[in-house]
């Protein structure tokens, strides 16, 4: 019970409790239908997924189950046919192409199976690229890129071109490029798919470290032993998802 304030004496106003942060991903009833000529195919058939900031989630499922479709939707590379997708609380369905591109550039760090590095540029130039569209000065871009490469353990390989790096190192450059803009989440589609076991371990170790540092990570993989490294596993089957019991 609160005691009444004596007349003339104002009680301090309690600070309002800040609202809990919105989940990074909130997908509700997500459906995606592909239309090929007169044929339509429902690749996502009503998917709910909620991922909080700092979670490390693996998405696993057989070929053709809808993993890449899900990743394209979550990465704002494609939009749902119906249902709602909120990214850090913002309804993505309401955005036009220009806004979607801005969201992709600032909120999501992509990593793919093929590293997609520009072979004529050095590691640090590759990592600087996403910052070019941010209106940052040259020196600031360079400093952020160097910091990102140091974070992935490649501070001594700044000037190497991709061809002068191992597969695991190239994928780490790709992770540095994904991280450099401070995205809300890292979206990695089969990041170890092209790597030998040593480089796979190198990349999985990096993911562990990023998770420990509080990053939000969504990892799409075919491989059960890769998925087992994540704290949470979501299984996609025939366009539906189910959580693995822990
Ligand atoms: N652009 C498209 N047009 C028509 N059908 C498509 C298109 N993209 C995907 N599909 C179909 O949607 C289903 C899901 O495809 P998706 O690429 O999401 O699967 P996946 O789980 O990523 O498979 P994989 O493990 O082989 O990469 C498949 O049956 C596929 O043939
Ligand atoms: Mg796929």
């Amino acid at each position: 019970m609160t005691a009444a304030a004596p007349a003339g004496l104002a009680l301090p106003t309690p600070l309002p409790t800040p609202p809990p942060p919105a989940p990074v991903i909130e997908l509700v009833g997500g459906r995606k239908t592909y239309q090929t000529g007169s044929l339509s195919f429902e690749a996502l058939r009503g998917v709910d997924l909620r991922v909080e900031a700092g979670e490390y989630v693996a998405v696993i499922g057989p070929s053709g189950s809808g993993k890449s479709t899900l990743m394209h939707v979550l990465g704002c590379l494609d939009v749902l046919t119906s249902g709602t997708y909120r990214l850090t609380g913002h309804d993505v369905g309401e955005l036009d192409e220009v806004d979607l591109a801005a969201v992709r550039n600032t909120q999501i760090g992509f990593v793919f199976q093929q590293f997609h590095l520009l072979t004529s540029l050095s590691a640090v130039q590759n990592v600087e690229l996403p910052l070019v569209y941010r209106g940052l000065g040259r020196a600031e871009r360079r400093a952020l890129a160097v910091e990102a490469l140091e974070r992935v353990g490649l501070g001594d390989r700044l000037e190497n071109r991709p061809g002068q790096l191992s597969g695991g190192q190239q994928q780490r450059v790709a992770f540095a490029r994904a991280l450099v803009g401070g995205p809300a989440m890292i979206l990695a589609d089969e990041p170890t798919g092209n790597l030998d076991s040593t480089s796979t371990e190198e990349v999985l170790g990096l993911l562990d470290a990023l998770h420990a540092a509080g990053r939000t990570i969504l990892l799409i993989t075919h491989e059960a032993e890769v998925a087992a490294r994540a704290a949470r596993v979501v299984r996609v089957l025939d366009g539906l998802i189910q959580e693995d019991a822990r």
Side-chain angles (χ1 to χ4, degrees):
M1 219 171 71
T2 322
L9 210 143
L11 278 178
T13 325
L15 286 173
T17 320
V24 176
I25 289 172
E26 203 178 7
L27 187 61
V28 182
R31 291 177 179 271
K32 177 70 189 178
T33 306
Y34 290 117
Q35 199 72 40
T36 317
S38 59
L39 289 178
S40 68
F41 181 83
E42 201 171 34
L44 296 178
R45 302 190 293 137
V47 167
D48 297 335
L49 179 66
R50 191 184 164 101
V51 175
E52 306 290 342
E55 279 199 276
Y56 178 7
V57 182
V59 176
I60 196 161
S63 182
S65 58
K67 301 182 300 295
S68 291
T69 303
L70 179 65
M71 154 127 181
H72 288 153
V73 167
L74 297 178
C76 301
L77 294 160
D78 205 348
V79 288
L80 291 170
T81 310
S82 70
T84 317
Y85 174 34
R86 274 186 224 93
L87 176 63
T88 61
H90 303 286
D91 190 344
V92 166
E94 290 173 358
L95 303 180
D96 61 19
E97 252 324 305
V98 174
D99 289 336
L100 280 176
V103 168
R104 281 196 296 273
N105 186 245
T106 58
Q107 301 294 307
I108 302 159
F110 292 97
V111 178
F112 299 97
Q113 178 171 354
Q114 324 287 346
F115 320 123
H116 292 309
L117 300 173
L118 296 186
T119 52
S120 61
L121 299 183
S122 66
V124 72
Q125 286 171 327
N126 267 286
V127 176
E128 274 180 49
L129 270 186
L131 301 175
V132 169
Y133 309 101
R134 299 262 186 110
L136 298 178
R138 203 173 244 280
E140 202 174 347
R141 288 204 306 261
R142 176 58 55 118
L144 287 169
V146 169
E147 194 189 314
L149 280 164
E150 284 170 348
R151 234 180 296 159
V152 301
L154 290 176
D156 58 346
R157 290 285 189 274
L158 303 179
E159 302 302 335
N160 287 67
R161 286 196 299 279
Q164 301 168 320
L165 297 169
S166 72
Q169 289 172 331
Q170 289 184 61
Q171 195 58 303
R172 282 194 277 152
V173 174
F175 270 98
R177 182 183 54 190
L179 287 164
V180 74
M185 68 168 156
I186 299 283
L187 215 48
D189 195 358
E190 302 279 1
T192 59
N194 253 0
L195 301 177
D196 61 27
S197 57
T198 309
S199 294
T200 292
E201 192 45 49
E202 192 177 318
V203 164
L204 292 178
L206 172 61
L207 283 165
D208 290 344
L210 293 175
H211 175 51
R215 295 283 174 170
T216 310
I217 302 166
L218 220 84
L219 167 71
I220 296 183
T221 179
H222 267 100
E223 299 162 76
E225 60 273 33
V226 170
R229 296 283 283 260
R232 180 179 161 200
V233 179
V234 167
R235 199 170 290 275
V236 183
L237 199 62
D238 295 334
L240 294 170
I241 67 177
Q242 60 195 68
E243 296 270 340
D244 270 17
R246 285 267 144 184

